[in-house]
Structures are given as C-alpha cells and as structure tokens.
Amino acid sequence: MELHDVWFVLIAVLWTGYFFLEGFDFGVGILTKLLARDRAERRVLINTIGPVWDGNEVWLLTAGGATFAAFPDWYATLFSGFYLPLLAILVCLIVRGVAFEYRAKRPEENWQRNWETAIFWSSLLPAFLWGVAFGNIVRGVKIDQHFEYVGSFWDLLNPYALLGGLVTLTLFIFHGAVFTALKTIGDIRVRARQLALWAGLVAAVLAVGFLLWTQADSGDGKSLIALVVAAVALVGALVANQLGREGWAFSLSGLTIVAAVAMLFLSLFPNVMPSTLNSEWSLTVSNASSSPYTLKIMTWLAVIATPLVVLYQGWTYWVFRKRIGTQHIAETAH
C-alpha cells in the first residue's frame, strides 16, 4: 500500500471520528428546541456536552489539516468549489462556540433564549450541510482538465446531495437523543428515548434510500458490507433504545454512523473527488497527493501525536461520565 493510500484511510478515519463525536454533539444542540421544555432542561442538555463539544471539533481541524497537507489539490478544489456551504458551516461553528460560552454570562431570560436559539440553528445547519457536501464529493462535481471546479453553487443542490443532508441531519438527531438518554436521569431521559425512536425510524428510511443509491451508483463488494453493517447497527440501536439499554443503543448508533461514512469513502476510492465532465479529470489519491517525502514526515508525526490526543479525549469522557438531571441545576444558576 502506497503512502497516499494510507493517508486516504487516515483522513477517512478522522472524518469518521468527527461525525461520530460531533454527530451526537449537533444532535443535542438541536434537541434544545425539540426535547427540552424549560430553561432547566435546556441547561441539562447543554451540560451533557459542555465538557466535550470543543474537543470533538479537534477532529474536524485535524481532518482539514491532514487533507491540506496530504492532498493539497483535493483541498484546493474542494474549498474553492464548496466555498459557500463550507463558509456557512464555519460561521455556524463560530456562532455555536460563542453561544455556549456567552449564554450563561447574564441571567435575563431573553438573553439566554437568544443564545439557545443560536445553538439550535448553528447545530442544525452544519448537520445538514455536511451531508450535502459529502454527497457531492461521492457523486462527483464539474471538474475540468485543470482539476478546477467549474460548476455553480446551485449544482451542489442536487437530489442525491440533498438526500445526504437529510440523512446526516436525522442520524445526528437520533444519535443525540440516544446520547441524551444515556447521560440524563428523570423525565427527560424517558422522553429522549421516545424521540430517539421516531428520529431513528425516519433516519432509517432516508439512510436506506441514500446508501442503496450510493451502492448502485459507485459501490462494490466492500461498500456493500459496510452498508449491511450500517443497516444492522441501526436496527440494533432502535431495539436497544426500546429496551432501555442506552449504552448499547449509543454504541450501535455510533456504529451506524461509522459504517455509513466508511461506505462513502469505500465508494469514493481511489478517487478523492470525481469529475462528472470526464472521468480522466477526476482527482485521485495519486494525482492529488503531496510528495512521498512530505507524506513520510506526516506519517511519523501522526504516529506520535494521534495516540496522545485519543488518550486525552478518552480521559475527558471518563471524568464526565456521570448522568445529570434538572435536580443538579440550581435555581439561581444563570
């Protein structure tokens, strides 16, 4: 296996980790409007992800940085062609971070409600737009012989990509609801399981259609295996949720996301960005990669740094593993 193949796999792992972790993170942010009934319950939801949301975004930064260093042509074409949706995601992530930090700075209800609304929308829009972006990456876009994107913004809003956006949105809501049930106690825990059932059923219908479409268009035997794993894991997550086995439900909902993202990358390889104008103009792992020397240095750095980051983040989740409820929220808390 060549180094550029190795780095394609590593980038796929980074994006998979990001969607697994930020998936429930976005889902909980959306649930602040769909599930919480009052300020105390919204505070509970925010507190479940409060210690970890910023750490989850490290995976995005690392995935973007690795793409830039390992596949600079892919990075250049992707960020120039997808400029508007990626800018929208960036703005949402900035607003979301500010909202988490500023919400509790003043006790007025209007102040907190406005920031909670910002958390909702800045969680919902990226959850949808990431699916649109990756749908277009797998489907292919208009790339010319100079490896430059020559389409328009409206070309990105095709049925396949929009369906991909709905899949990530509903899967993240389901993942977030299961995480909420795992991390809370009391009535909000029960309602989170109920909402997870309906969100999971909707996600299952959309995901089956999207993944079958992907398999029919560009899949092979390996991607078919990933599709089956994703489908079985989603069914298992729904069953575990109904049985009140929240740990299993969360693990299986996470496995659903992991398998689905793996299927997309398996369908994509050896391309990194197919051209719909001419297959010979597609960006691949070989023509879009950096020099072997650059990839070799990056590999040694990844071997040293990655375990440290994973261990630290795992320790963070262990420290903040306990459940919380409205009884843990002081009445005088901002």
Side-chain angles (χ1 to χ4, degrees), residues 169-236:
L169 175 61
T170 53
L171 273 180
F172 289 172
I173 292 174
F174 172 64
H175 198 35
V178 172
F179 177 78
T180 300
L182 176 66
K183 288 288 293 178
T184 58
I185 56 178
D187 181 58
I188 193 171
R189 175 186 177 188
V190 176
R191 286 187 283 114
R193 288 209 304 263
Q194 294 171 346
L195 191 148
L197 171 63
W198 294 107
L201 291 174
V202 174
V205 173
L206 295 173
V208 166
F210 178 73
L211 295 180
L212 287 176
W213 191 345
T214 304
Q215 179 66 26
D217 189 46
S218 58
D220 56 15
K222 295 178 181 178
S223 62
L224 180 60
I225 294 174
L227 188 157
V228 173
V229 171
V232 172
L234 183 53
V235 172

Side-chain angles (χ1 to χ4, degrees), residues 15-38:
W15 281 110
T16 302
Y18 173 67
F19 285 133
F20 175 87
L21 295 172
E22 194 86 303
F24 72 77
D25 194 327
F26 285 144
V28 172
I30 296 169
L31 293 180
T32 56
K33 291 291 185 183
L34 301 183
L35 180 65
R37 291 177 174 174
D38 52 34

Side-chain angles (χ1 to χ4, degrees), residues 62-303:
T62 308
T67 304
F68 171 76
F71 300 99
D73 288 341
W74 181 15
Y75 182 93
T77 303
L78 175 65
F79 277 77
S80 60
F82 293 18
Y83 180 80
L84 287 178
L86 291 179
L87 176 62
I89 291 173
L90 176 61
V91 171
C92 285
L93 294 180
I94 293 172
V95 171
R96 193 166 183 264
V98 173
F100 280 129
E101 298 297 334
Y102 274 62
R103 176 191 172 276
K105 296 300 182 183
R106 291 171 57 180
E108 291 86 351
E109 185 173 355
N110 287 340
W111 171 271
Q112 296 190 2
R113 186 188 301 115
N114 289 337
W115 286 118
E116 289 161 0
T117 300
I119 291 172
F120 171 77
W121 285 109
S122 60
S123 299
L124 186 148
L125 290 177
F128 175 75
L129 290 175
W130 278 128
V132 173
F134 271 83
N136 278 293
I137 291 173
V138 174
R139 171 183 174 270
V141 292
K142 294 179 179 179
I143 298 175
D144 65 10
Q145 65 270 30
H146 303 295
F147 302 133
E148 295 181 358
Y149 179 75
V150 293
S152 68
F153 169 75
W154 303 109
D155 292 328
L156 303 178
L157 303 180
N158 55 80
Y160 176 80
L162 292 174
L163 178 59
L166 292 175
V167 169
T168 53
L169 175 61
T170 53
L171 273 180
F172 289 172
I173 292 174
F174 172 64
H175 198 35
V178 172
F179 177 78
T180 300
L182 176 66
K183 288 288 293 178
T184 58
I185 56 178
D187 181 58
I188 193 171
R189 175 186 177 188
V190 176
R191 286 187 283 114
R193 288 209 304 263
Q194 294 171 346
L195 191 148
L197 171 63
W198 294 107
L201 291 174
V202 174
V205 173
L206 295 173
V208 166
F210 178 73
L211 295 180
L212 287 176
W213 191 345
T214 304
Q215 179 66 26
D217 189 46
S218 58
D220 56 15
K222 295 178 181 178
S223 62
L224 180 60
I225 294 174
L227 188 157
V228 173
V229 171
V232 172
L234 183 53
V235 172
L238 286 168
V239 172
N241 176 71
Q242 287 302 100
L243 295 176
R245 302 297 297 272
E246 288 124 350
W248 279 104
F250 178 71
S251 299
L252 289 170
S253 68
L255 179 58
T256 302
I257 293 174
V258 169
V261 177
M263 181 192 173
L264 295 182
F265 278 96
L266 288 170
S267 301
L268 185 62
F269 186 82
N271 294 318
V272 294
M273 209 164 179
S275 172
T276 57
L277 299 179
N278 188 327
S279 60
E280 295 182 356
W281 299 342
S282 298
L283 290 166
T284 67
V285 292
S286 57
N287 66 22
S289 67
S290 295
S291 67
Y293 183 70
T294 300
L295 296 178
K296 185 176 181 180
I297 293 176
M298 290 174 58
T299 302
W300 281 110
L301 292 174
V303 168

